[in-house]
Amino acid sequence: MPRRRVPRPRASRRGPFRRRAARRLAADLALLAMAAAFALPLAWVLLSAVDPGAGLRVRVPDGLTLDNFRAVLTPDITYTPLLNSLLLCGGGTALTVGCAALAAYPLSRFPSRLNRPFLLTILFATSLPITAIMVPVYALFVRVNLIDTLQGTVFFFAASQLPFAIWLMKNFMDSVPRELEEAAWTDGASAAQSLVRIVLPLMGPGLAVVTVFSFVMMWGNFFVPFMLLLSPDRMPASVSVNDFFGNRGMVAYGQLAAFSVLYSTPVILLYVLVARRLGGGFALGGAVKG
């Protein structure tokens, strides 16, 4: 008599799905917690800027007011520091981008045994803490009469951002086909002309990335201008924001938030201006015939 097969119980598939759903839920909760950690300070700044009774708590204001902005929109508090910041960071960014392009071009186009050691050396220079070199830099600036000058601070800003800017610039420059330059050289163009007319226009998104990164890092720097600039009328906005913290813990929170909104506006505008180039990619399709 043939044996009757006993059907085996199928393994439940709900277990793996439940574990996967639990992991997704945990990841979503962690991301929401991180988003809240970043959103709460921004919410405090925006709400306190229009709150007549702003404090440390994040709350919806009882009434909206622009008195905080009127109090800080003066030449001494906002206009002069912002102008100094634009001069320092704009000049430092232009100098950084120009020097980084000139330094990255031979590293990208002319292979050598010294390229890698040089790149590793400048990468090590980016890891040095700024506080460790400020004492010799201050002594040097005193000797060469660059202390308390905008141009001296611009030079140090550019020098401090140049190592990482060279790394970024070289990586973007490697993506530009060398065949385009060789065709230009055949037509009689020099290396400088091919760099300016071919390589740099094709790596527009790379230039935008280096520009925004350098400008943002300089814009938020407090320690360097605080050490190298002495005159109050030459202080940038990153240093003058310290004036809102009064004695005995008294802080004008509403005016501080309003100043923070104004202080963040140039960086946001810069990002909006270059956002199209950042997302445009390298438009090299059809440039080289395969």
Side-chain angles (χ1 to χ4, degrees), residues 166-184:
I166 293 175
W167 265 86
L168 288 177
M169 193 75 71
K170 179 187 178 299
N171 291 332
F172 285 110
M173 201 170 289
D174 290 340
S175 302
V176 179
R178 187 182 176 87
E179 289 79 3
L180 297 177
E181 290 183 87
E182 293 176 350

Side-chain angles (χ1 to χ4, degrees), residues 270-282:
L270 177 63
Y271 177 77
V272 171
L273 290 175
V274 302
R276 295 180 179 178
R277 300 300 301 273
L278 286 172
F282 294 95

Side-chain angles (χ1 to χ4, degrees), residues 69-82 259 262:
F69 289 95
R70 296 191 187 99
V72 300
L73 285 175
T74 62
D76 294 337
I77 297 178
T78 300
Y79 296 141
T80 301
L82 283 180
F259 183 82
L262 298 174

